[in-house]
């Protein structure tokens, strides 16, 4: 009887350890995605910063006097998010800034729904021409999912 209880306890512990490992690995995959996405996006804008600033001109609801400020600060902000997300003590703050940035991008896309962008929306620097539609907005929303998933997985781990 005692032996069966001990075997059951060991079985439960093994199952919990395996589940915890899967949760931890999944959470790190979310962080890897966010980090790579932000670093890629930021560096693509830095490579052709003037084209990114020019692309901002097609967003008619963004005041012209802010184009240079936004054009230089967004890529730096994205690279910092991509790099600092690995600092455990800053992770929740960095995730908040990541989520805020994605929400701002989504709001800007919604405000400019139907607008023609000859160099793309600017998310990844210069790309092919596109019209802002629900698929573009859905794509940006999909970038929000890893952050939410990380928060859920991290909550489960506690």
């Amino acid at each position: 009887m005692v032996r069966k209880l001990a075997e059951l306890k060991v079985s439960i512990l093994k199952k919990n350890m395996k589940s915890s490992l899967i949760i931890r690995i999944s959470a790190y995959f979310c962080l890897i995605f966010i980090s790579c996405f932000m670093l890629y996006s930021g560096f693509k804008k830095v490579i052709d910063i003037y084209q990114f600033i020019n692309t901002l001109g097609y967003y008619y609801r963004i005041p012209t006097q802010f184009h240079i400020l936004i054009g230089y600060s967004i890529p730096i902000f994205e690279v910092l998010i991509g790099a600092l997300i690995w600092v455990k003590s800053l992770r929740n703050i960095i995730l908040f800034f990541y989520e805020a940035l994605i929400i701002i991008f989504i709001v800007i896309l919604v405000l400019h729904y139907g607008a023609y962008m000859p160099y793309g929306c600017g998310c990844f620097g210069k790309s092919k021409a596109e019209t802002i539609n629900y698929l573009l907005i859905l794509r940006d929303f999909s970038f929000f999912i890893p952050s939410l998933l990380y928060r859920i997985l991290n909550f489960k781990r506690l």
Side-chain angles (χ1 to χ4, degrees), residues 54-105:
N54 183 40
T55 302
L56 291 174
Y58 292 97
Y59 291 102
Y60 55 88
R61 294 189 192 247
I62 298 175
T64 310
Q65 60 267 28
F66 293 121
H67 288 183
I68 293 176
L69 176 67
I70 292 170
Y72 282 104
S73 61
I74 291 294
I76 293 169
F77 197 58
E78 289 176 340
V79 169
L80 285 174
I81 288 173
L84 293 177
I85 201 162
W86 295 107
V87 178
K88 195 170 186 170
S89 61
L90 298 175
R91 191 167 293 150
N92 285 330
I93 294 168
I94 297 299
L95 280 172
F96 171 78
F97 284 122
Y98 172 77
E99 292 163 351
L101 192 63
I102 296 298
I103 289 171
I104 290 168
F105 287 160

Side-chain angles (χ1 to χ4, degrees), residues 35-49:
S35 180
C36 291
F37 169 65
M38 285 284 101
L39 290 171
Y40 177 76
S41 180
F43 283 127
K44 285 290 282 188
K45 289 177 184 123
V46 166
I47 288 170
D48 198 356
I49 193 81

Side-chain angles (χ1 to χ4, degrees), residues 117-136:
M117 308 299 275
Y119 303 108
C121 71
C123 297
F124 302 112
K126 185 177 178 179
S127 63
K128 64 179 174 43
E130 55 193 1
T131 302
I132 297 175
N133 57 22
Y134 69 93
L135 291 174
L136 224 56

